[in-house]
């Protein structure tokens, strides 16, 4: 059976995210633990965390994924932004611990033109600092990016380079976003292409590090370096591509949709499309 969910809103109170996921028939989901558009957030009250944990357990949802907010840039060459980003990473790791969320997904940021070496140094230091400040069982998942200008982590080699320099590598895993991967040049349309992409991931990073797939179609073409998500099967990866993805080893991992919110297709229709292409409907 698929481990399938989507990114859900925490609007109202954080435990309401669980209700939303359950209503959509999800057995896993992803959240921002706070408003993703600001730098600061108020502390979680113990009763808020309790309500969330209790609902997750009661509904048999496992696992839950947290996602870093939008503003932090762990590769930023600007000291002030960088310091605030590391602080955000520490805060998010702590919030995940409080909420008993086992995985936190992070983007690798942008070096903003300062160069890839500066970016690597920043991000490696950021992760090492973040993990050293937070003791507990939350794994940081590094998400591959679409390889847009100045962005870090568009290739498997770059992700491997970072992991190799982490002091506690057992606390770091990987999230593979299909839209980003396709846009960065990893073909996912045919069975052979999916197998070849998985083989590269396995050889360069190690398949066992992969803990999550962000299942998104892509508005941009192969190697377009455009990060624009599309409904499942309606983009350049297409239905056949997702059928092949879902029937591969990737389909056995937790799958989280980050598909657009618009009139063309609802969340439930996207989830059902995935079930259909996986042969479950
Ligand atoms: Mn992401
Ligand atoms: Mn993603
Ligand atoms: Zn994206």
């Amino acid at each position: 059976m698929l481990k399938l969910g989507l990114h859900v809103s925490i609007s109202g109170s954080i435990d309401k995210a669980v209700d939303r996921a359950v209503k959509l028939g999800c057995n896993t989901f992803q959240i921002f633990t706070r408003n993703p558009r600001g730098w600061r957030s108020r502390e979680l009250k113990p009763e808020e965390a309790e309500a969330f944990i209790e609902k997750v357990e009661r509904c048999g949802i496992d696992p839950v994924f947290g996602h870093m907010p939008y503003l932090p840039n762990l590769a930023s060459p600007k000291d002030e932004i960088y310091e605030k980003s590391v602080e955000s990473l520490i805060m998010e790791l702590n919030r995940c611990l409080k909420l008993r969320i086992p995985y936190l997904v992070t983007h690798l940021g942008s070096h903003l033109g300062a160069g890839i070496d500066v970016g690597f140094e920043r991000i490696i230091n950021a992760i090492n600092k973040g993990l050293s400040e937070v003791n507990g069982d939350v794994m940081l998942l590094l998400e591959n990016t679409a390889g847009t200008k100045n962005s870090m982590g568009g290739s498997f080699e770059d992700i491997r380079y970072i992991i190799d320099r982490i002091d506690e590598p057992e606390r770091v895993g990987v999230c593979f976003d299909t839209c980003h991967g396709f846009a960065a040049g990893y073909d996912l349309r045919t069975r052979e292409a999916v197998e070849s992409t998985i083989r590269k991931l396995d050889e360069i990073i190690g398949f066992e590090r992969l803990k999550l797939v962000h299942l998104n179609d892509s508005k941009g073409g192969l190697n377009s370096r455009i990060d624009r998500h599309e409904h499942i099967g309606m983009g350049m990866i297409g239905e056949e591509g997702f059928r092949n993805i879902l029937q591969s080893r990737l389909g056995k991992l937790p799958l989280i949709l980050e598909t657009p919110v618009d009139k063309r297709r609802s969340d439930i229709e996207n989830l059902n499309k995935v079930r259909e292409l996986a042969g479950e409907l």
Side-chain angles (χ1 to χ4, degrees), residues 30 67 105 107 143-144 175 177 180 214 216 229 258:
Q30 175 177 286
H67 196 296
V105 180
H107 295 179
E143 179 173 350
N144 66 311
C175 164
D177 186 307
H180 300 173
H214 276 171
N216 302 309
H229 300 189
E258 301 172 319

Side-chain angles (χ1 to χ4, degrees), residues 10-281:
I10 61 162
S11 150
S13 59
I14 194 157
D15 61 289
K16 291 213 172 101
V18 189
D19 304 332
R20 293 186 176 106
V22 168
K23 208 171 159 198
L24 292 163
C26 301
N27 49 11
T28 180
F29 66 85
Q30 175 177 286
I31 51 168
F32 292 120
T33 74
R34 62 183 186 81
N35 173 4
R37 286 182 179 81
W39 277 105
R40 292 218 59 91
S41 59
R42 62 167 182 79
E43 285 245 342
L44 275 167
K45 296 190 194 112
E47 57 270 28
E48 291 175 299
E50 266 165 48
F52 178 83
I53 291 166
E54 194 266 325
K55 266 189 196 174
V56 168
E57 278 178 1
R58 183 155 42 83
C59 298
I61 286 178
D62 179 47
V64 175
F65 297 90
H67 196 296
M68 279 285 283
Y70 295 127
L71 296 181
N73 176 7
L74 299 173
S76 179
K78 299 178 190 163
D79 290 335
E80 200 197 325
I81 298 290
Y82 177 74
E83 300 300 334
K84 278 162 81 177
S85 300
V86 175
E87 206 180 297
S88 293
L89 174 62
I90 294 167
M91 283 192 298
E92 284 310 308
L93 286 166
N94 277 319
R95 290 173 80 86
C96 285
L97 277 181
K98 263 194 189 162
L99 294 163
R100 282 198 220 150
I101 294 176
Y103 300 102
L104 175 65
V105 180
T106 184
H107 295 179
L108 298 171
S110 165
H111 61 68
L112 305 173
I116 193 165
D117 292 332
V118 174
F120 275 134
E121 193 203 310
R122 290 283 179 160
I123 196 149
I124 291 159
N125 285 334
I127 296 171
N128 281 331
K129 167 93 172 147
L131 292 177
S132 74
E133 296 271 317
V134 181
N135 288 309
D137 250 350
V138 48
M139 183 182 272
L140 188 65
L141 301 184
L142 314 184
E143 179 173 350
N144 66 311
T145 51
T148 39
K149 195 160 179 263
N150 300 337
S151 78
M152 303 292 299
S155 73
F156 296 154
E157 285 83 357
D158 286 4
I159 293 172
R160 169 67 189 267
Y161 184 89
I162 294 164
I163 294 173
D164 277 346
R165 285 155 184 80
I166 300 304
D167 299 331
E168 301 172 272
E170 68 285 356
R171 295 178 70 187
V172 171
V174 171
C175 164
F176 179 66
D177 186 307
T178 55
C179 165
H180 300 173
F182 187 73
Y186 296 103
D187 199 356
L188 295 163
R189 289 171 296 192
T190 65
R191 203 167 70 94
E192 294 71 31
V194 170
E195 286 312 318
S196 155
T197 293
I198 292 173
R199 205 175 317 119
K200 283 178 200 153
L201 194 153
D202 189 29
E203 282 169 12
I204 299 164
I205 298 174
F207 195 83
E208 71 288 348
R209 285 218 186 263
L210 187 59
K211 305 296 177 196
L212 169 62
V213 174
H214 276 171
L215 203 68
N216 302 309
D217 209 334
S218 172
K219 280 207 170 89
L222 181 66
N223 211 12
S224 62
R225 313 271 156 168
I226 294 168
D227 179 3
R228 286 188 67 202
H229 300 189
E230 181 54 292
H231 296 294
I232 301 300
M234 289 168 73
M236 301 300 278
I237 298 175
E239 289 206 359
E240 195 53 33
F242 281 96
R243 200 173 281 126
N244 292 320
I245 290 167
L246 290 162
Q247 279 157 17
S248 76
R249 293 164 79 187
L250 297 174
K252 309 264 186 297
L253 286 157
L255 309 166
I256 296 286
L257 274 62
E258 301 172 319
T259 37
V261 177
D262 61 33
K263 293 257 149 60
R264 293 175 302 144
R265 192 186 281 160
S266 68
D267 285 340
I268 197 110
E269 286 169 329
N270 270 316
L271 292 164
N272 281 332
K273 177 54 77 178
V274 173
R275 294 180 182 116
E276 174 202 317
L277 295 173
E280 276 199 357
L281 280 189

